[in-house]
Amino acid sequence: MSEKEEQDLPMNDGPAKPAMREALVAAAFELFLERGFEQTTIDDIVSLAGVGRRSFFRYFPAKEDVVFPDHERSLAEMTEFLESGTGEEDPVKHACDAARLVLRMYAEQPSFSVQRYRLTRKVPGLRAYELSVVWRYEHTLAAYLRGRFADRPDGPLRADVTAAAVVAAHNHALRTWLRSGGESDWVAEVDAAMAFVTGTWNDRPGGENGAGGEHGESAESGADDVVVLVASRRAPLWKMVQGIESALGDAHRL
């Protein structure tokens, strides 16, 4: 596509935008795996994708950003989830549930996630970029927890340490899953990691977290529970999961 043809494209092209974004990501990873990250230029990527340079920068500020195309959306969903709390829920558990959203994002695209993990391990610049992304997640969790622990003398310290623990546990579960090639049970991995965090850092009485454990069966739950969920097609997955969990109770967490 020539620069003139690209200029003639309508700016509000709706469905074409996600398709172009995905095409750029697919072209980039094809070249990264074939030539290496450092040896691939933005010109190489747009040439393979069949678009102009301006189209690349419309979606990605730099070449590194095309390796992590989904983190802005994931961070926004985490922030929205944290803000959706009523203020009555256990803050540590709520922070852990927010971290689950990030791992679920990776699990939605196992092949891509494993490819990215292997690429990132080889490129120091990408590892540094990834650390900056991780810091943003940790900062978001810490800000939420600071608000929830504001009435405690050790509130800021507790918030920062707990947020770091949540991120470390999440990353342990994520890397375990990625090292398996995306074959292990990511739900079990993150469940175990988050249970460790809540068990270590939650100082509420044990009964407040559910007598049957996070995934145990409730004495009152029946085998024939039926839930009908009505949600907007544009609603994020976590909202639908949250609605189901609210109806069934924590004992039926997805």
Side-chain angles (χ1 to χ4, degrees):
M1 181 182 294
S2 69
E3 289 291 330
K4 176 62 170 63
E5 289 173 325
E6 185 183 347
Q7 292 172 10
D8 291 339
L9 285 174
M11 293 297 292
N12 298 320
D13 48 3
K17 286 188 176 182
M20 185 181 293
R21 189 174 186 273
E22 291 170 5
L24 286 165
V25 173
F29 267 81
E30 181 177 335
L31 292 170
F32 294 158
L33 295 174
E34 177 185 319
R35 304 179 185 179
F37 179 81
E38 301 292 353
Q39 291 70 35
T40 299
T41 66
I42 290 175
D43 286 333
D44 295 332
I45 296 170
V46 299
S47 176
L48 182 58
V51 301
R53 281 177 61 88
R54 288 197 307 164
S55 293
F56 181 92
F57 291 110
R58 192 176 298 163
Y59 299 103
F60 306 107
K63 187 171 68 171
E64 289 79 7
D65 293 285
V66 79
V67 182
F68 304 92
D70 36 21
H71 280 293
E72 289 299 327
R73 171 181 62 86
S74 180
L75 186 63
E77 288 189 356
M78 169 189 273
T79 302
E80 185 179 0
F81 177 83
L82 290 170
E83 293 174 350
S84 73
T86 64
E88 299 298 323
E89 66 280 338
D90 171 10
V92 178
K93 183 174 177 298
H94 196 59
C96 287
D97 287 343
R100 292 173 187 273
L101 299 177
V102 184
L103 211 154
R104 183 178 287 123
M105 175 268 291
Y106 279 92
E108 287 173 351
Q109 304 181 74
S111 296
F112 176 75
S113 296
V114 171
Q115 284 182 348
R116 173 167 56 193
Y117 171 67
R118 292 171 179 169
L119 176 66
T120 302
R121 291 181 65 193
K122 297 177 182 178
V123 183
L126 290 179
R127 289 202 296 273
Y129 186 99
E130 186 177 41
L131 287 174
S132 72
V133 173
V134 171
W135 179 87
R136 293 178 67 193
Y137 284 117
E138 184 175 329
H139 179 76
T140 300
L141 290 169
Y144 161 75
L145 290 169
R146 280 173 176 258
R148 293 298 306 276
F149 296 150
D151 59 342
R152 302 180 58 132
D154 64 347
L157 175 62
R158 179 173 289 270
D160 289 350
V161 172
T162 303
V166 172
V167 169
H170 168 273
N171 288 347
H172 174 83
L174 174 61
R175 292 191 186 105
T176 300
W177 177 72
L178 290 171
R179 287 169 184 152
S180 76
E183 296 295 329
S184 67
D185 185 346
W186 71 269
V187 175
E189 299 288 356
V190 74
D191 282 354
M194 295 303 111
F196 178 81
V197 173
T198 55
T200 302
W201 295 106
N202 191 331
D203 59 358
R204 288 190 174 190
E208 294 189 27
N209 290 327
E214 189 174 6
H215 297 281
E217 288 296 327
S218 167
E220 297 178 1
S221 65
D224 300 323
D225 288 341
V226 176
V227 173
V228 177
L229 176 67
V230 179
S232 167
R233 183 179 299 178
R234 294 185 296 274
L237 178 60
W238 69 261
K239 278 193 174 179
M240 292 184 279
V241 172
Q242 189 180 59
I244 295 172
E245 289 178 350
S246 177
L248 293 179
D250 286 342
H252 295 266
R253 177 175 299 281
L254 298 181

